[in-house]
mmCIF file with all atom_site columns, all heavy atoms in Angstrom:
data_model
loop_
_atom_site.group_PDB
_atom_site.id
_atom_site.type_symbol
_atom_site.label_atom_id
_atom_site.label_alt_id
_atom_site.label_comp_id
_atom_site.label_asym_id
_atom_site.label_entity_id
_atom_site.label_seq_id
_atom_site.pdbx_PDB_ins_code
_atom_site.Cartn_x
_atom_site.Cartn_y
_atom_site.Cartn_z
_atom_site.occupancy
_atom_site.B_iso_or_equiv
_atom_site.pdbx_formal_charge
_atom_site.auth_seq_id
_atom_site.auth_comp_id
_atom_site.auth_asym_id
_atom_site.auth_atom_id
_atom_site.pdbx_PDB_model_num
ATOM 1  N N   . GLN A 1 45 ? 78.036 129.212 -61.886 1.00 0.00 ? 45 GLN A N   1
ATOM 2  C CA  . GLN A 1 45 ? 77.916 127.862 -62.077 1.00 0.00 ? 45 GLN A CA  1
ATOM 3  C C   . GLN A 1 45 ? 78.282 127.001 -60.930 1.00 0.00 ? 45 GLN A C   1
ATOM 4  O O   . GLN A 1 45 ? 79.248 127.440 -60.043 1.00 0.00 ? 45 GLN A O   1
ATOM 5  C CB  . GLN A 1 45 ? 78.840 127.301 -63.291 1.00 0.00 ? 45 GLN A CB  1
ATOM 6  C CG  . GLN A 1 45 ? 78.408 128.175 -64.544 1.00 0.00 ? 45 GLN A CG  1
ATOM 7  C CD  . GLN A 1 45 ? 77.055 127.838 -65.189 1.00 0.00 ? 45 GLN A CD  1
ATOM 8  O OE1 . GLN A 1 45 ? 76.656 126.590 -65.131 1.00 0.00 ? 45 GLN A OE1 1
ATOM 9  N NE2 . GLN A 1 45 ? 76.425 128.674 -65.855 1.00 0.00 ? 45 GLN A NE2 1
ATOM 10 N N   . GLU A 1 46 ? 77.935 125.759 -60.737 1.00 0.00 ? 46 GLU A N   1
ATOM 11 C CA  . GLU A 1 46 ? 78.295 124.830 -59.750 1.00 0.00 ? 46 GLU A CA  1
ATOM 12 C C   . GLU A 1 46 ? 78.102 125.375 -58.280 1.00 0.00 ? 46 GLU A C   1
ATOM 13 O O   . GLU A 1 46 ? 78.864 125.134 -57.349 1.00 0.00 ? 46 GLU A O   1
ATOM 14 C CB  . GLU A 1 46 ? 79.751 124.429 -59.959 1.00 0.00 ? 46 GLU A CB  1
ATOM 15 C CG  . GLU A 1 46 ? 79.989 123.646 -61.189 1.00 0.00 ? 46 GLU A CG  1
ATOM 16 C CD  . GLU A 1 46 ? 81.479 123.276 -61.285 1.00 0.00 ? 46 GLU A CD  1
ATOM 17 O OE1 . GLU A 1 46 ? 81.934 122.499 -60.396 1.00 0.00 ? 46 GLU A OE1 1
ATOM 18 O OE2 . GLU A 1 46 ? 82.126 123.661 -62.339 1.00 0.00 ? 46 GLU A OE2 1
ATOM 19 N N   . ALA A 1 47 ? 76.918 126.101 -58.161 1.00 0.00 ? 47 ALA A N   1
ATOM 20 C CA  . ALA A 1 47 ? 76.576 126.516 -56.818 1.00 0.00 ? 47 ALA A CA  1
ATOM 21 C C   . ALA A 1 47 ? 75.879 125.345 -56.077 1.00 0.00 ? 47 ALA A C   1
ATOM 22 O O   . ALA A 1 47 ? 75.448 124.460 -56.627 1.00 0.00 ? 47 ALA A O   1
ATOM 23 C CB  . ALA A 1 47 ? 75.500 127.644 -56.887 1.00 0.00 ? 47 ALA A CB  1
ATOM 24 N N   . HIS A 1 48 ? 76.049 125.426 -54.736 1.00 0.00 ? 48 HIS A N   1
ATOM 25 C CA  . HIS A 1 48 ? 75.624 124.417 -53.872 1.00 0.00 ? 48 HIS A CA  1
ATOM 26 C C   . HIS A 1 48 ? 74.753 125.009 -52.761 1.00 0.00 ? 48 HIS A C   1
ATOM 27 O O   . HIS A 1 48 ? 75.203 125.757 -51.960 1.00 0.00 ? 48 HIS A O   1
ATOM 28 C CB  . HIS A 1 48 ? 76.717 123.571 -53.235 1.00 0.00 ? 48 HIS A CB  1
ATOM 29 C CG  . HIS A 1 48 ? 76.379 122.352 -52.466 1.00 0.00 ? 48 HIS A CG  1
ATOM 30 N ND1 . HIS A 1 48 ? 77.276 121.648 -51.749 1.00 0.00 ? 48 HIS A ND1 1
ATOM 31 C CD2 . HIS A 1 48 ? 75.156 121.796 -52.200 1.00 0.00 ? 48 HIS A CD2 1
ATOM 32 C CE1 . HIS A 1 48 ? 76.667 120.634 -51.156 1.00 0.00 ? 48 HIS A CE1 1
ATOM 33 N NE2 . HIS A 1 48 ? 75.390 120.727 -51.399 1.00 0.00 ? 48 HIS A NE2 1
ATOM 34 N N   . ILE A 1 49 ? 73.437 124.604 -52.701 1.00 0.00 ? 49 ILE A N   1
ATOM 35 C CA  . ILE A 1 49 ? 72.441 125.095 -51.732 1.00 0.00 ? 49 ILE A CA  1
ATOM 36 C C   . ILE A 1 49 ? 71.711 124.057 -51.146 1.00 0.00 ? 49 ILE A C   1
ATOM 37 O O   . ILE A 1 49 ? 71.586 122.902 -51.626 1.00 0.00 ? 49 ILE A O   1
ATOM 38 C CB  . ILE A 1 49 ? 71.528 126.248 -52.336 1.00 0.00 ? 49 ILE A CB  1
ATOM 39 C CG1 . ILE A 1 49 ? 70.628 125.554 -53.377 1.00 0.00 ? 49 ILE A CG1 1
ATOM 40 C CG2 . ILE A 1 49 ? 72.357 127.326 -53.092 1.00 0.00 ? 49 ILE A CG2 1
ATOM 41 C CD1 . ILE A 1 49 ? 69.456 126.461 -53.889 1.00 0.00 ? 49 ILE A CD1 1
ATOM 42 N N   . LEU A 1 50 ? 71.004 124.378 -49.965 1.00 0.00 ? 50 LEU A N   1
ATOM 43 C CA  . LEU A 1 50 ? 70.101 123.486 -49.316 1.00 0.00 ? 50 LEU A CA  1
ATOM 44 C C   . LEU A 1 50 ? 68.690 124.233 -49.358 1.00 0.00 ? 50 LEU A C   1
ATOM 45 O O   . LEU A 1 50 ? 68.603 125.297 -48.917 1.00 0.00 ? 50 LEU A O   1
ATOM 46 C CB  . LEU A 1 50 ? 70.490 123.142 -47.884 1.00 0.00 ? 50 LEU A CB  1
ATOM 47 C CG  . LEU A 1 50 ? 71.777 122.319 -47.679 1.00 0.00 ? 50 LEU A CG  1
ATOM 48 C CD1 . LEU A 1 50 ? 72.009 122.105 -46.211 1.00 0.00 ? 50 LEU A CD1 1
ATOM 49 C CD2 . LEU A 1 50 ? 71.771 120.947 -48.442 1.00 0.00 ? 50 LEU A CD2 1
ATOM 50 N N   . LEU A 1 51 ? 67.660 123.569 -49.830 1.00 0.00 ? 51 LEU A N   1
ATOM 51 C CA  . LEU A 1 51 ? 66.318 124.056 -49.800 1.00 0.00 ? 51 LEU A CA  1
ATOM 52 C C   . LEU A 1 51 ? 65.468 123.041 -49.007 1.00 0.00 ? 51 LEU A C   1
ATOM 53 O O   . LEU A 1 51 ? 65.263 121.847 -49.344 1.00 0.00 ? 51 LEU A O   1
ATOM 54 C CB  . LEU A 1 51 ? 65.740 124.183 -51.119 1.00 0.00 ? 51 LEU A CB  1
ATOM 55 C CG  . LEU A 1 51 ? 66.026 125.480 -51.979 1.00 0.00 ? 51 LEU A CG  1
ATOM 56 C CD1 . LEU A 1 51 ? 65.519 125.382 -53.440 1.00 0.00 ? 51 LEU A CD1 1
ATOM 57 C CD2 . LEU A 1 51 ? 65.487 126.623 -51.282 1.00 0.00 ? 51 LEU A CD2 1
ATOM 58 N N   . ASN A 1 52 ? 65.029 123.551 -47.813 1.00 0.00 ? 52 ASN A N   1
ATOM 59 C CA  . ASN A 1 52 ? 64.270 122.674 -46.908 1.00 0.00 ? 52 ASN A CA  1
ATOM 60 C C   . ASN A 1 52 ? 65.128 121.330 -46.609 1.00 0.00 ? 52 ASN A C   1
ATOM 61 O O   . ASN A 1 52 ? 64.582 120.185 -46.662 1.00 0.00 ? 52 ASN A O   1
ATOM 62 C CB  . ASN A 1 52 ? 62.945 122.228 -47.437 1.00 0.00 ? 52 ASN A CB  1
ATOM 63 C CG  . ASN A 1 52 ? 61.985 123.356 -47.240 1.00 0.00 ? 52 ASN A CG  1
ATOM 64 O OD1 . ASN A 1 52 ? 62.201 124.316 -46.532 1.00 0.00 ? 52 ASN A OD1 1
ATOM 65 N ND2 . ASN A 1 52 ? 60.900 123.367 -48.132 1.00 0.00 ? 52 ASN A ND2 1
ATOM 66 N N   . ASP A 1 53 ? 66.450 121.449 -46.460 1.00 0.00 ? 53 ASP A N   1
ATOM 67 C CA  . ASP A 1 53 ? 67.313 120.360 -46.160 1.00 0.00 ? 53 ASP A CA  1
ATOM 68 C C   . ASP A 1 53 ? 67.678 119.459 -47.327 1.00 0.00 ? 53 ASP A C   1
ATOM 69 O O   . ASP A 1 53 ? 68.344 118.481 -47.174 1.00 0.00 ? 53 ASP A O   1
ATOM 70 C CB  . ASP A 1 53 ? 66.848 119.650 -44.897 1.00 0.00 ? 53 ASP A CB  1
ATOM 71 C CG  . ASP A 1 53 ? 66.930 120.423 -43.668 1.00 0.00 ? 53 ASP A CG  1
ATOM 72 O OD1 . ASP A 1 53 ? 67.767 121.343 -43.538 1.00 0.00 ? 53 ASP A OD1 1
ATOM 73 O OD2 . ASP A 1 53 ? 66.067 120.230 -42.748 1.00 0.00 ? 53 ASP A OD2 1
#
Side-chain angles (χ1 to χ4, degrees):
Q45 304 289 327
E46 298 182 54
H48 186 183
I49 67 172
L50 295 180
L51 278 173
N52 285 344
D53 293 329

